[in-house]
Amino acid sequence: MATRKRASGSSDASAKPPPPPLQNDDSLKAKPKSAEAAPIDPPIAPPKLGFILKFSALFLVPYLYLIARHYDIDWELKRSILINAGLSLAGFFATVKLIPVASRYVLRRNLFGYDINKKGTPQGTVKVPESLGIVVGIVYLVLAIVFQYFNFTADSNWLVEYNAALASICFMILLGFMDDVLDVPWRVKLILPSFAALPLLMAYAGHTTIVIPKPLIPYVGMEILDLGWIYKLYMGLLAVFCTNSINIHAGLNGLEVGQTVVIAAAILLHNIIQIGASKDPEYMQAHAFSIYLVQPMLATSLALLSYNWYPSSVFVGDTYTYFAGMTMAVVGILGHYSETLLIFFLPQILNFLLSLPQLAGFVKCPRHRLPRFDPQSGLLTGTNDGTLVNFFLRAFGRKTEKSLCILLLLFQAMACGFCFLLRWLLAGWYK
């Protein structure tokens, strides 16, 4: 979270400067180039690739083990997953290379911010490039489109929904970047994902039924319930929630991207477990479809995290949070595991419930609901604002920004682990 500073050239445009006085020929000679050159912003700090390697190993090792050794997955399906993983790896390196280039361009257009959580220190006066989520979004879309060449044929049943999913994600990236540039009010932000989800909702041809939990079957009188248009309404609301919940659970270096990486890793593990435990081709393809969309997002997000981790060299902007939320909503809908996805989003749900009084206008809501930073000690103190960040500071005491972010990401990982435990405990009894 950062305050954005824009160039103020428009207000002075109408006031024309007075004509210069007459000068002789010697005074009209060109000045040396060194005197005319505009000041150049210093390059951003290099990516923290060592941290990313250690962080990604925590989930990549079990994920690759499940694919290669634990489950006997059909070779054609495994081949598609590995091709997608190879493209995602290429996307990681492309994103790492492109972020410094894009940073120079956004700084030229005055799309930068100052880190509020470092105010009063030398780092708090550094211009931090903003809206770098646009790089992740563009690389992701290129990878997802190129992957169609290797996996889908013209008559593929999944091609229409795959392209509809990409259209929704692309639409959300556009709206997110528009928000970064125009600074859209909160009331408008809440409904933007509804428009972005329209391509997916219109192209969705899957079932609109839900499986009634076994303990409730005697009371409902049926095992399968067709919700019809209500199911599509639920899909749209899920897209709105996932997108905005990532956006409001923010304010620390690395938190927005970090929580996305943790949830994406849990989604990949869930999909592989479901593929390995099933013999239904349609069910397996639905979860493979989810993997095809999540692997590129995870790879490009890790590249962005290498620059966004504390101390952050770039800010991700609403472009990234909207993109990440919409992508995870899309895979949850088309993979038919929205219940599991919502449990993965448990910290975001808690943050939303804490934020609801302020978002609804019952309690005064400041522009930046951030903790207070003490430049002398370098510690953050929780305020009374209704966010999970402030709640953790009030509950566990003052912390540095880095340690607080790590604590929140551990809580995110625990929520995902709780979801896996819950599915294992309720297997065969709940559904």
Side-chain angles (χ1 to χ4, degrees):
M1 185 78 64
T3 53
R4 184 178 303 154
K5 180 180 179 181
R6 300 239 177 88
S8 57
S10 58
S11 60
D12 300 329
S14 59
K16 295 182 179 180
L22 294 176
Q23 298 173 330
N24 57 30
D25 292 340
D26 293 335
S27 64
L28 296 176
K29 291 181 181 179
K31 296 180 181 179
K33 289 185 177 180
S34 60
E36 293 181 349
I40 300 175
D41 291 305
I44 64 174
K48 307 169 185 69
L49 296 179
F51 164 75
I52 295 301
L53 182 62
K54 297 174 184 176
F55 186 46
S56 58
L58 294 175
F59 53 83
L60 285 180
V61 170
Y63 177 64
L64 294 175
Y65 170 76
L66 292 176
I67 294 177
R69 299 293 300 274
H70 190 73
Y71 291 118
D72 184 18
I73 301 174
D74 177 72
W75 167 244
E76 286 298 321
L77 194 58
K78 184 185 293 186
R79 173 182 170 273
S80 296
I81 293 174
L82 293 177
I83 289 174
N84 185 271
L87 288 172
S88 301
L89 183 61
F92 171 83
F93 291 109
T95 307
V96 169
K97 290 294 184 182
L98 288 173
I99 285 178
V101 177
S103 297
R104 293 196 293 270
Y105 281 96
V106 298
L107 283 173
R108 290 176 194 171
R109 304 307 301 171
N110 288 325
L111 277 174
F112 64 86
Y114 296 109
D115 199 328
I116 297 177
N117 287 334
K118 299 177 182 63
K119 188 175 181 180
T121 68
Q123 286 180 314
T125 62
V126 176
K127 294 179 181 179
V128 183
E130 202 164 1
S131 307
L132 268 298
I134 191 67
V135 177
V136 173
I138 292 172
V139 174
Y140 174 87
L141 289 173
V142 171
L143 295 175
I145 293 170
V146 170
F147 177 67
Q148 294 186 54
Y149 174 78
F150 298 97
N151 191 67
F152 296 107
T153 59
D155 59 346
S156 174
N157 295 330
W158 288 93
L159 188 58
V160 173
E161 291 189 351
Y162 186 83
N163 284 324
L166 293 186
S168 291
I169 294 169
C170 182
F171 200 176
M172 199 69 255
I173 293 171
L174 172 64
L175 293 175
F177 191 68
M178 180 190 74
D179 184 19
D180 282 333
V181 175
L182 301 180
D183 204 10
V184 177
W186 261 108
R187 294 179 182 85
V188 180
K189 288 184 181 184
L190 290 175
I191 63 172
L192 287 180
S194 305
F195 297 113
L198 286 177
L200 177 64
L201 298 179
M202 296 301 103
Y204 182 75
H207 65 75
T208 57
T209 59
I210 59 172
V211 179
I212 302 298
K214 291 180 180 179
L216 299 179
I217 291 177
Y219 304 98
V220 179
M222 60 183 73
E223 296 182 0
I224 304 293
L225 177 63
D226 189 357
L227 296 179
W229 65 269
I230 298 178
Y231 189 86
K232 288 196 173 184
L233 176 62
Y234 163 74
M235 290 165 56
L237 293 175
L238 181 66
V240 172
F241 170 76
C242 290
T243 305
N244 284 290
S245 65
I246 295 289
N247 192 36
I248 65 175
H249 186 35
L252 304 175
N253 290 172
L255 181 56
E256 297 97 320
V257 192
Q259 64 183 298
T260 301
V261 168
V262 173
I263 297 173
I267 289 173
L268 288 180
L269 291 173
H270 170 70
N271 285 319
I272 284 297
I273 292 171
Q274 295 306 306
I275 290 174
S278 175
K279 299 298 181 183
D280 181 3
E282 188 71 16
Y283 185 79
M284 294 167 65
Q285 189 60 47
H287 284 281
F289 181 92
S290 174
I291 291 176
Y292 302 152
L293 291 174
V294 173
Q295 282 187 152
M297 182 187 73
L298 178 59
T300 52
S301 295
L302 284 170
L304 181 59
L305 184 62
S306 69
Y307 290 98
N308 186 242
W309 187 249
Y310 183 92
S312 178
S313 305
V314 301
F315 289 143
V316 301
D318 291 342
T319 308
Y320 177 79
T321 57
Y322 285 174
F323 153 74
M326 179 58 73
T327 303
M328 289 188 283
V330 163
V331 299
I333 291 168
L334 297 181
H336 307 297
Y337 56 89
S338 57
E339 292 176 345
T340 300
L341 182 67
L342 285 175
I343 302 177
F344 287 157
F345 270 75
L346 184 59
Q348 286 73 24
I349 294 174
L350 293 176
N351 184 67
F352 171 73
L353 294 176
L354 289 170
S355 303
L356 197 56
Q358 288 184 314
L359 297 179
F362 299 118
V363 179
K364 184 180 179 181
C365 183
R367 176 175 173 79
H368 298 292
R369 302 182 300 158
L370 295 177
R372 287 191 301 271
F373 175 69
D374 180 7
Q376 302 300 324
S377 63
L379 299 177
L380 296 173
T381 304
T383 66
N384 291 324
D385 290 317
T387 65
L388 199 60
V389 170
N390 285 304
F391 176 80
F392 266 56
L393 285 172
R394 293 195 300 267
F396 299 105
R398 304 169 70 199
K399 293 188 177 298
T400 63
E401 184 177 1
K402 183 177 180 179
S403 61
L404 178 60
C405 184
I406 292 174
L407 183 63
L408 287 165
L409 294 183
L410 285 174
F411 180 61
Q412 185 76 62
M414 290 172 59
C416 295
F418 170 73
C419 179
F420 286 116
L421 177 63
L422 195 63
R423 287 185 61 90
W424 179 71
L425 291 175
L426 298 181
W429 176 79
Y430 182 67
K431 286 187 178 180

